[in-house]
Amino acid sequence: MALLPNIFLIGAQKAGTTAIAEWLFANGVCNPEAFGNDGPEPYAKEAHFFDHDFRFKGGIDYYTKRYQHCTHDNNVEYIMDATPETLFQSKRVHNFYEQVAPGSAASLKIFIILREPVAREMSLYNHKASEFKRTQDMEAWFSNVADDDGNVMSFDEYTTQLKYYAMPFFSWQVTGFYVNHLREWIKWFDREQILVLSYDEVQNNPEMVEWRISQFLGKQFTGKLPRANVRGDAPVTKEKRTLPKQAGKFLIPLFHDKNEELYEFLEAHPGPPMEQHPFPRFEEYSLEELVE
């Protein structure tokens, strides 16, 4: 009998989810299987079930089909859905599992990686720009990086589209408002079920992240997460960060107050014992760093 995921890596997008997912998959954690028009990338990592209505309407039959190879007969212990957009779907995840088997939501293990939000936005922009230049697909999810003539916008130009971020009605859609999403998740899941990880630690101390995840899941995993900013045994000097002026004037103050709310939230709602505490403050951009 096919099993459902018991691990969720809910984001954040462009915060190291792929590295952690690949490490866990290499250690025998069962990943979704792509089929039909879904595959193969990124659907061998991300099921995109809860965030896509047309898939969600397929119900348990659709979801279990993605994991039909994950069975007790294959000695599968852990099954993971590493869809970053599940970040926005806490209630849907909870209600789905409770409908399938009452009480089952309480057994899920959920983790999230948090990255400084302005840097995450820049990384997402660069990813979108790269994908658009490669495909020129005006219908793809990344096409909002291009203007009507099919030219890739600058980050300043791209950021003008994000002005709705500042509107309260749309704030639930902003990935970098991490505290908003965590508040929703603890409405439906116990805080002890949610491990919050730091992107900076993933980059600079992956061995500690391996330990935290192993402790959280109650199983020792082999292999190594890739260490960033290292060439051989010598650290690579980090280049000075640059942030375009127009984008920075909007994004820096937008995220600053939400970051402060996040630190207060995590202090008031501590997680499982292996979680980093206190959670490290982001190395935020300053207005003095802005470039023309």
Side-chain angles (χ1 to χ4, degrees), residues 201-242:
E201 188 173 61
V202 174
Q203 295 291 287
N204 299 317
N205 193 359
E207 293 86 359
M208 181 57 72
V209 175
E210 294 167 15
W211 178 83
R212 295 189 199 282
I213 294 173
S214 294
Q215 291 293 307
F216 184 55
L217 297 181
K219 181 177 181 179
Q220 199 65 34
F221 295 100
T222 60
K224 298 294 182 183
L225 277 170
R227 178 185 288 272
N229 299 328
V230 171
R231 186 180 298 122
D233 295 324
V236 176
T237 302
K238 183 179 180 180
E239 296 181 356
K240 181 175 175 59
R241 304 182 307 171
T242 58

Side-chain angles (χ1 to χ4, degrees), residues 1-8 29-32 47 49-50 56 58-72 76-82 92-105 107-109:
M1 177 180 178
L3 305 173
L4 289 172
N6 49 15
I7 305 174
F8 281 87
V29 172
C30 201
N31 61 292
F49 175 69
F50 295 99
F56 189 70
I60 188 171
D61 289 340
Y62 179 92
Y63 201 35
T64 54
K65 187 177 179 182
R66 301 299 298 273
Y67 295 95
Q68 59 189 349
H69 55 296
C70 304
T71 65
H72 287 305
V76 170
E77 182 178 1
Y78 291 111
I79 306 167
M80 183 166 69
D81 185 344
R92 182 173 273 191
V93 172
H94 175 272
N95 290 349
F96 175 83
Y97 273 81
E98 289 302 295
Q99 184 177 17
V100 170
S104 62
S107 65
L108 298 181
K109 297 284 190 176

